Amino acid sequence: MRIAFIVDPLQKLKAYKDSSIFMMREAARRGHEVWAFEAHELFSAGQVSAHAHRLVVSDDNAAWYRVEASVTQPLTFFDAVLMRKDPPFNQEYLYSTLLLSLAEQQGARVVNRAASLRDYNEKLAILKFERFTSPTLVTAEMARVHAFIDEHRDVIVKKLDGMGGTSIFRVRADDPNRNAIVEVQTVEGRETIMAQRYIPDIINGDKRVLVIDGKVVPFCLARIPKAGETRGNLAAGGRGVAQPISARDREIAEALGPQL
């Protein structure tokens, strides 16, 4: 098979932890062709195509790939196109998903489907599963954010288009920087953000539970915040620990499994 990965710049991927690289290595091990390109290399002149690069992939983390060839091909040339670009989910990301939707109509197989990437925003998707989430507010209005902080006293505020722990703040009701944080996060009421009641159990890890074909994997990755830090993100210094899932983890994953 020819498998194409839409990724961030190859030279910036971290081979020791990037799941896209693990997928590329496994595909190559199984004898498939591995291709990659960035979102800006997508274009349409009638048929959605990309300037794609065929890779030779190795297990050497210091030099994990070599570009064997670079050619322009329609996306239908590939047996599968995996959309693996990281956020931010900005206008360029949106345009990429619109091109990928058109490519699907032309016969390309895109994973995950472009419409799903738009409908299941990395942060806003939790609003579909309110019974499993901490109290959550999504708004651009600063007064609403302040009222939420007054109600819950200890709150996390985050932008909707970030990743890796960027632009995430813990704000207590008596925080002297509270007004400034809300102003900066919402760009003085012009940008929508998310606020959530702080969950102290974060000290035990921000868990990544895997669901494959609707079935729950019995082990998860718990991302443990470093000392003095609220965020468990690996990019923010969190420590990844594999551990068995809890009964609550299983309850949530089994409820979400059929929809996923």
Side-chain angles (χ1 to χ4, degrees):
M1 294 175 62
R2 301 187 193 101
I3 304 176
F5 293 77
I6 306 176
V7 289
D8 291 306
L10 293 170
Q11 67 273 19
K12 293 186 178 181
L13 301 184
K14 294 179 172 58
Y16 70 92
K17 75 177 186 68
D18 195 288
S19 55
S20 293
I21 295 176
F22 279 80
M23 293 180 185
M24 291 180 189
R25 285 171 168 167
E26 183 62 17
R29 189 185 69 79
R30 297 186 183 203
H32 303 303
E33 292 183 14
V34 175
W35 295 74
F37 56 90
E38 296 179 45
H40 71 82
E41 294 178 292
L42 271 173
F43 69 95
S44 176
Q47 189 167 21
V48 180
S49 304
H51 185 60
H53 315 283
R54 182 172 175 176
L55 305 183
V56 176
V57 181
S58 78
D59 292 327
D60 180 357
N61 284 346
W64 65 269
Y65 76 94
R66 175 172 57 83
V67 176
E68 187 176 49
S70 297
V71 296
T72 297
Q73 294 286 3
L75 295 200
T76 51
F77 169 79
F78 305 104
D79 296 286
V81 177
L82 277 58
M83 178 49 156
R84 303 286 302 168
K85 185 190 181 309
D86 283 333
F89 194 108
N90 53 18
Q91 282 296 107
E92 286 303 312
Y93 194 106
L94 175 61
Y95 296 149
S96 295
T97 66
L98 294 171
L99 283 174
L100 291 174
S101 285
L102 178 58
E104 288 179 284
Q105 295 173 20
Q106 295 172 347
R109 184 180 187 184
V110 179
V111 182
N112 289 321
R113 291 187 60 235
S116 296
L117 291 172
R118 292 193 297 272
D119 292 345
Y120 280 79
N121 173 272
E122 183 162 314
K123 293 186 173 60
L124 293 180
I126 68 166
L127 300 179
K128 299 175 183 282
F129 309 103
E130 185 179 5
R131 66 190 173 108
F132 294 126
T133 64
S134 176
T136 299
L137 170 72
V138 177
T139 185
E141 294 184 53
M142 291 189 291
R144 290 189 187 276
V145 178
H146 282 296
F148 189 85
I149 296 172
D150 288 335
E151 178 183 0
H152 296 287
R153 312 304 295 171
D154 196 353
V155 169
I156 295 292
V157 294
K158 63 183 79 172
K159 290 185 175 289
L160 296 178
D161 61 356
M163 61 156 293
T166 58
S167 299
I168 294 178
F169 289 85
R170 180 181 177 184
V171 185
R172 294 182 176 90
D174 60 354
D175 192 322
N177 295 309
R178 168 178 161 174
N179 287 337
I181 291 172
V182 173
E183 289 167 6
V184 170
Q185 289 291 86
T186 64
V187 192
E188 298 188 339
R190 296 192 297 275
E191 290 189 7
T192 302
I193 67 167
M194 176 177 286
Q196 295 180 288
R197 186 177 67 196
Y198 174 70
I199 303 174
D201 280 350
I202 182 60
I203 63 172
N204 298 317
D206 169 0
K207 296 179 182 176
R208 287 290 190 257
V209 177
L210 303 180
V211 180
I212 300 175
D213 197 21
K215 306 299 181 184
V216 186
V217 176
F219 289 85
C220 69
L221 174 69
R223 306 182 304 173
I224 313 295
K226 66 181 181 181
E229 177 62 82
T230 298
R231 302 167 297 172
N233 307 78
L234 300 182
R239 175 171 54 91
V241 177
Q243 62 185 38
I245 64 172
S246 67
R248 179 61 168 165
D249 298 334
R250 180 173 293 278
E251 177 190 359
I252 296 172
E254 289 181 347
L256 269 59
Q259 293 200 48
L260 297 176

